[in-house]
Amino acid sequence: MKKLFLAGALLLTTVFCQAQKNSGNDQPVKRDTTQNELSINAFNLVTLGIIEITYERVIDENSSWAIEGFIHPGKDDYIDELYYKDVSLTGKYKHFFSSTYARGFYVHGFGMISAGEYETGYYDLNESLNEYIYETEDFTDFAIGFGLGGKFVSPGGFLLDLSTGIGRNFFSDTSPTIVGQFMVNLGFRF
């Protein structure tokens, strides 16, 4: 009976020690405790020659804030249809729905101040030619919008952030009414 009791106590002690050892392995990976990210919109850079850099700060496991700078150095006619702005500064708040630390599917709200040239057109009915007239005007405006995306972070810190968003300008009659964002960001969490 003593041998059976001793064997049972030894078995329980082994299980308890093993459980203690496994719970120590649940520490977060270093990338899960870092809070800074720096990325560039690779899609806009490669396809359109637009520079868009993002700094993001993780607040907690479910949220972060970001600031994005957009510079359109050389405007081409075919790009004017996609981006009327020359420069913009955007602030974002992201909320993540994943159980992993600031990764996975998210929704975001943003505020964007932008400046550029916007082309408007109208029919001139006063002339006998009845032609369509284009006018280009400079603008500066502020937009509020929302979007959704997904973020993937490797154990080494490399990240891919795919997102899209839509917003509305509020203050200028010479700016586009709707603003859009399409981002394929590549960067690093540190």
Side-chain angles (χ1 to χ4, degrees), residues 39-45 52 159-164 181-187:
S39 62
I40 189 163
N41 188 336
F43 177 79
N44 280 348
L45 182 64
E52 192 167 11
L159 68 91
L160 170 66
D161 190 352
L162 306 169
S163 69
T164 186
Q181 289 187 318
F182 178 73
M183 304 184 81
V184 179
N185 280 16
L186 299 174

Side-chain angles (χ1 to χ4, degrees), residues 4-81:
L4 186 60
F5 178 75
L6 185 59
L10 187 58
L11 181 63
L12 283 175
T13 305
T14 305
V15 169
F16 179 72
C17 289
Q18 184 67 26
Q20 291 295 325
K21 182 179 176 185
N22 285 344
S23 66
N25 290 337
D26 293 338
Q27 294 296 320
V29 180
K30 182 180 183 298
R31 291 290 155 226
D32 287 345
T33 58
T34 56
Q35 297 179 316
N36 300 299
E37 296 177 1
L38 192 59
S39 62
I40 189 163
N41 188 336
F43 177 79
N44 280 348
L45 182 64
V46 172
T47 60
L48 305 172
I50 294 171
I51 300 167
E52 192 167 11
I53 297 174
T54 302
Y55 169 76
E56 189 167 341
R57 175 82 174 170
V58 176
I59 300 169
D60 60 28
E61 64 184 35
N62 294 323
S63 61
S64 68
W65 64 265
I67 188 163
E68 299 167 356
F70 176 100
I71 300 171
H72 193 186
K75 289 193 82 156
D76 294 327
D77 291 337
Y78 69 94
I79 296 176
D80 288 344
E81 299 296 321

Side-chain angles (χ1 to χ4, degrees), residues 14 17 31 39 43 46 56 58 67 73 85 88 90 92 102-103 111 123 127 135 139 151 153-154 156 161 179 187:
T14 305
C17 289
R31 291 290 155 226
S39 62
F43 177 79
V46 172
E56 189 167 341
V58 176
I67 188 163
K85 61 187 179 184
S88 71
T90 305
K92 286 185 179 178
R103 299 177 186 173
Y123 280 104
E127 293 184 13
E135 290 182 353
F139 74 90
K151 181 179 289 189
V153 183
S154 74
D161 190 352
V179 295

